[in-house]
């Protein structure tokens, strides 16, 4: 199989459940890079929120960030492509979300910002501790997130909403938030689970950014491979020439990929890279 570009999701894919990059996954990705295959990380995280674990990959040059709303050259720290949300609609969406007891944050120029008033809810998020640690590490607290948004002439790259939960784990205000945001037709919603929803411009997806990078590098779409596990990977998996889902993937991913590899705790990325890009 002639694979020249591999897009790899981070959470639930390249990283194990403790948000760690295994030595096996690291070696396999570096072997692919050494063989002339471009490996790009494709994440919902902002550019400056890409963890050191991912940057351990020697030869890594590019990153698809914010679910595809931006594409960065890692070495030069330059944004090669971005597709932000319409400004007025993003402002209206966040204004409504700020009135709800949910954790709302906005992404601009590679950074993620959260209002002081929402930061206190992080401990009550409907997720595990490793995710909370990650979340705190890449959110910058500001006194007034609406004022921050108004200071930009462009819209946010992404808006994420995370939810608190009761003892039963059921998220509070999820449906209300989804219903509110659903009225803004220019946006697309993806979810990393019941505790999270994320919004970008409808045309901003990991798949679009993957094909944009392939075009920049002179690589044909059929020479691309994507590896992922959740809803925000779906478009990327659909657009790639060859798609790989993790064994721990959401059911909709398992149904549509070309191949299911081992889980993220079993070095599934390394297994797929060696089987299809280095065999």
């Amino acid at each position: 199989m002639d694979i020249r570009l591999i897009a790899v999701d981070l959470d639930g894919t390249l990283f194990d459940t403790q948000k760690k990059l295994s030595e096996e996954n690291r070696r396999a990705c570096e072997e692919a890079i050494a063989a002339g295959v471009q490996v790009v990380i494709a994440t919902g995280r902002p550019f400056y929120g890409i963890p050191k674990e991912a940057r351990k990959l020697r030869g890594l040059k590019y990153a698809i960030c914010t679910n595809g709303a931006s594409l960065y050259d890692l070495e030069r720290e330059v944004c090669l492509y971005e597709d932000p949300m319409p400004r007025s609609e993003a402002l209206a969406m966040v204004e409504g979300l700020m009135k709800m007891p949910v954790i709302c944050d906005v992404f601009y120029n590679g950074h993620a910002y959260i209002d002081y008033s929402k930061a206190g809810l992080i401990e009550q998020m409907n997720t595990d501790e490793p995710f909370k640690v990650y979340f705190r590490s890449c959110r910058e607290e500001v006194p007034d997130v609406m004022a921050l948004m108004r200071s930009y002439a462009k819209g946010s790259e992404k808006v994420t909403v995370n939810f608190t939960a009761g003892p039963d784990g059921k998220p509070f205000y999820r449906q209300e938030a989804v219903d509110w945001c659903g009225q803004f037709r220019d946006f697309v919603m993806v979810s990393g689970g019941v505790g999270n929803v994320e919004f970008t411009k409808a045309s901003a997806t990991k798949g679009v950014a993957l094909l944009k990078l392939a075009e920049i590098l002179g690589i044909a779409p059929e020479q691309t491979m994507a590896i992922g596990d959740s809803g925000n990977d779906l478009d990327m998996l659909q657009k790639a020439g060859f798609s790989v889902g993790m064994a721990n993937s959401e059911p909709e991913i398992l149904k549509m990929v070309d191949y299911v590899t081992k889980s993220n705790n079993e070095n599934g990325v390394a297994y797929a890279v060696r089987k299809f890009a280095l065999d």
Side-chain angles (χ1 to χ4, degrees):
M1 188 175 292
D2 182 23
I3 300 296
R4 294 183 57 202
L5 173 59
I6 304 173
V8 185
D9 172 54
L10 291 183
D11 301 299
T13 303
L14 186 64
F15 290 168
D16 63 22
T17 52
Q18 297 303 310
K19 308 294 183 187
K20 298 296 183 181
L21 173 63
S22 72
E23 184 64 16
E24 195 68 15
N25 280 347
R26 182 190 65 77
R27 282 203 304 266
C29 289
E30 290 179 356
E31 288 167 14
I33 293 169
V37 179
Q38 288 285 353
V39 175
V40 55
I41 56 175
T43 178
R45 303 181 189 221
F47 176 70
Y48 292 106
I50 296 172
K52 293 179 181 178
E53 288 290 320
R55 292 180 180 266
K56 288 179 180 179
L57 297 176
R58 286 193 301 271
L60 185 71
K61 294 182 178 179
Y62 304 101
I64 294 168
C65 303
T66 54
N67 288 344
S70 60
L71 169 64
Y72 276 84
D73 180 314
L74 283 167
E75 296 176 329
R76 295 185 295 149
E77 295 195 0
V78 172
C79 183
L80 302 176
Y81 160 82
E82 70 173 347
D83 191 8
M85 305 165 82
R87 183 177 182 273
S88 60
E89 292 190 35
L91 279 164
M93 173 189 281
V94 173
E95 184 175 25
L97 290 170
M98 288 296 295
K99 297 174 183 177
M100 302 180 191
V102 299
I103 303 156
C104 172
D105 47 87
V106 298
F107 291 54
Y108 285 93
N109 297 336
H111 298 269
Y113 300 96
I114 184 171
D115 195 285
Y116 286 158
S117 65
K118 298 295 186 181
L121 296 174
I122 293 174
E123 286 304 314
Q124 303 172 46
M125 284 170 62
N126 183 36
T127 188
D128 57 24
E129 189 57 32
F131 182 85
K132 292 177 186 177
V133 171
Y134 144 68
F135 194 88
R136 294 188 208 98
S137 73
C138 66
R139 261 56 175 185
E140 301 175 34
E141 296 183 21
V142 295
D144 187 340
V145 78
M146 292 301 301
L148 173 78
M149 294 183 73
R150 294 188 186 99
S151 73
Y152 284 97
K154 62 182 180 180
S156 175
E157 293 171 11
K158 186 174 77 162
V159 173
T160 71
V161 189
N162 287 275
F163 305 99
T164 61
D168 61 356
K170 184 177 180 180
F172 295 133
Y173 272 79
R174 188 183 197 280
Q175 192 58 53
E176 291 86 343
V178 170
D179 288 345
W180 167 255
C181 295
Q183 68 182 294
F184 301 98
R185 301 299 182 183
D186 289 335
F187 304 150
V188 63
M189 184 187 89
V190 296
S191 176
V194 295
N196 158 275
V197 290
E198 305 180 358
F199 298 89
T200 57
K201 187 177 177 182
S203 57
T205 66
K206 288 184 180 182
V208 169
L210 170 60
L211 295 184
K212 184 69 176 180
L213 179 58
E215 179 185 348
I216 291 171
L217 297 176
I219 295 172
E222 57 267 25
Q223 293 175 307
T224 64
M225 181 169 89
I227 311 175
D229 74 301
S230 63
N232 68 352
D233 301 315
L234 184 61
D235 183 72
M236 175 176 75
L237 293 166
Q238 290 173 329
K239 286 185 168 60
F242 188 76
S243 59
V244 177
M246 307 299 292
N248 52 282
S249 295
E250 296 173 359
E252 65 174 335
I253 300 298
L254 295 174
K255 292 177 183 177
M256 58 77 57
V257 292
D258 296 311
Y259 182 79
V260 177
T261 187
K262 298 178 181 180
S263 77
N264 64 320
N265 287 326
E266 300 172 300
N267 303 312
V269 167
Y271 187 83
V273 167
R274 290 187 173 125
K275 183 175 180 66
F276 298 109
L278 293 174
D279 189 14

